[in-house]
């Protein structure tokens, strides 16, 4: 179990009625408004839990951020776009109670892992950007479920085939080859929603992982066309999601990138 740093409170907050619509808020009760970091776990959209993110959350709290560690409805609980709705609802709830949590509602970032990276990017590109959102980070993000579907055919690896099945389940078991399913797949496809109001984005992939770098390059092309900067970092090997994040220098590089976009932190209470 991850130890809570001295002076930090942790509170579980409901942002909806479902048992999965919960987030843990890590904050200091010192009256200072701090930039926020929203953390979204991965797990094929059908598994995983915010508890697995606790050590990552702690690192951002120790740097001085207010951190929101999200759970969301899984694909077996509700099909897309429930997961994007949950992400946006959690952010709206945090902004509504910003003063309570020492949160600067106009300075926050989202960081998501694998399927959680898809949710982070989908929230960041929804309706031409979100108020107060300054940066989005995806670690092995599934930017393009359609690409995952194609890659996971009979020629794909076991992991790619599993991701294909997970993407179909996210779409409510609606295959993209069916005309009636076009709307939901279009909604899940992040590059198709890029716009000029979106926040800058950073994504990281391993060169040989089952969510390959060209997922992010599809989004980079569209964001750059809209005038929004996006950086895609590719590392050697095949590490995925949190395993990639924990490689030497990766977390530090992400933290430095976020710090440059979220601005100064309060000096007291650290």
């Amino acid at each position: 179990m991850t130890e809570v740093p001295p002076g930090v409170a942790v509170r579980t907050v409901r942002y909806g009625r479902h048992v999965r619509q919960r987030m843990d808020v890590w904050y200091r009760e010192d009256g200072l408004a701090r930039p926020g970091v929203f953390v979204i776990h991965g797990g094929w959209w059908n598994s995983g839990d915010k508890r697995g993110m606790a050590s990552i959350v702690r690192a951002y709290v120790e740097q001085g951020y207010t951190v929101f560690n999200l759970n969301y409805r899984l694909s077996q609980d509700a099909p897309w776009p429930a997961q994007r709705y949950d992400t946006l609802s959690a952010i709206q709830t945090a902004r509504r109670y910003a003063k309570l949590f020492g949160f600067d509602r106009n300075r926050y970032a989202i960081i998501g892992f694998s399927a959680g990276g898809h949710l982070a990017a989908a929230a960041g590109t929804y309706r031409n950007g979100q108020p107060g959102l300054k940066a989005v980070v995806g670690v092995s993000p599934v930017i393009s479920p359609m690409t995952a579907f194609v890659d996971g055919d009979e020629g794909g690896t076991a992991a790619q085939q599993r991701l294909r099945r997970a993407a179909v389940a996210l779409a409510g078991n609606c295959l993209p080859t069916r005309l009636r399913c076009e709307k939901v797949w279009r909604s899940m496809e992040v590059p198709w929603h890029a716009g000029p109001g979106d926040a800058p984005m950073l994504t990281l992939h391993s060169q040989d992982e089952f969510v390959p770098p060209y997922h992010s390059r599809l989004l980079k092309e569209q964001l750059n066309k809209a005038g929004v900067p996006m950086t895609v970092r590719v590392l050697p090997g095949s590490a995925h999601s949190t395993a990639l994040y924990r490689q030497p220098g990766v977390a530090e590089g992400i933290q430095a990138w976020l710090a440059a976009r979220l601005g100064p932190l309060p000096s007291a209470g650290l």
Side-chain angles (χ1 to χ4, degrees):
M1 184 174 180
T2 300
E3 185 178 349
V4 178
V8 172
V10 180
R11 179 173 176 177
T12 300
V13 176
R14 298 174 53 182
Y15 63 87
R17 294 183 178 181
H18 194 276
V19 67
R20 294 279 310 181
Q21 292 173 312
R22 304 287 188 275
M23 60 181 170
D24 293 337
V25 187
W26 296 53
Y27 65 104
R28 289 179 171 82
E29 298 174 301
D30 57 9
L32 300 176
R34 304 170 182 275
V37 176
F38 291 79
V39 178
I40 310 178
H41 71 80
W44 313 87
W45 300 289
N46 60 24
S47 60
D49 188 89
K50 56 185 170 59
R51 289 173 293 182
M53 296 288 103
S55 63
I56 293 173
V57 167
R58 176 182 171 129
Y60 285 99
V61 171
E62 289 177 333
Q63 290 176 37
Y65 297 105
T66 295
V67 185
F68 304 86
N69 188 17
L70 275 60
N71 268 351
Y72 50 89
R73 284 173 291 175
L74 304 174
S75 58
Q76 61 267 33
D77 300 319
W80 186 266
Q83 295 71 27
R84 182 178 63 197
Y85 174 86
D86 285 357
T87 303
L88 295 171
S89 294
I91 292 171
Q92 290 168 0
T93 299
R95 296 185 80 236
R96 186 178 305 122
Y97 297 103
K99 188 173 182 180
L100 176 63
F101 301 126
F103 168 42
D104 183 347
R105 64 198 304 270
N106 295 314
R107 284 194 297 156
Y108 66 91
I110 312 172
I111 177 169
F113 298 79
S114 191
H118 174 246
L119 303 190
T125 56
Y126 185 64
R127 291 186 176 174
N128 204 27
Q130 300 303 308
L133 179 60
K134 301 302 182 185
V136 175
V137 176
V139 183
S140 302
V142 187
I143 294 294
S144 172
M146 181 65 76
T147 297
F149 179 84
V150 173
D151 287 350
D153 63 11
E154 60 271 13
T157 65
Q160 288 173 324
Q161 291 178 10
R162 181 181 176 185
L163 187 59
R164 174 188 172 111
R165 294 191 297 270
V168 171
L170 182 66
N173 295 313
C174 205
L175 292 171
T177 51
R178 296 176 182 170
L179 185 60
R180 67 180 179 85
C181 303
E182 178 182 355
K183 183 177 180 181
V184 66
W185 282 86
R186 179 174 290 276
S187 177
M188 294 193 305
E189 199 70 6
V190 178
W192 296 354
H193 299 275
D198 298 341
M201 196 171 299
L202 167 67
T203 61
L204 299 92
H205 296 263
S206 294
Q207 181 62 53
D208 300 317
E209 68 164 299
F210 67 92
V211 183
Y214 55 75
H215 271 255
S216 287
R217 290 175 181 143
L218 292 170
L219 179 56
K220 177 178 172 62
E221 180 180 357
Q222 297 305 314
L223 282 175
N224 288 171
K225 284 181 180 179
V228 178
M230 178 174 176
T231 301
V232 181
R233 295 179 183 169
V234 181
L235 286 79
S238 58
H240 175 73
S241 190
T242 54
L244 173 57
Y245 184 84
R246 292 189 172 102
Q247 289 196 341
V250 172
E252 292 81 0
I254 292 173
Q255 291 161 3
W257 188 87
L258 285 176
R261 283 148 188 86
L262 291 175
L265 292 160
S267 57
L270 297 182

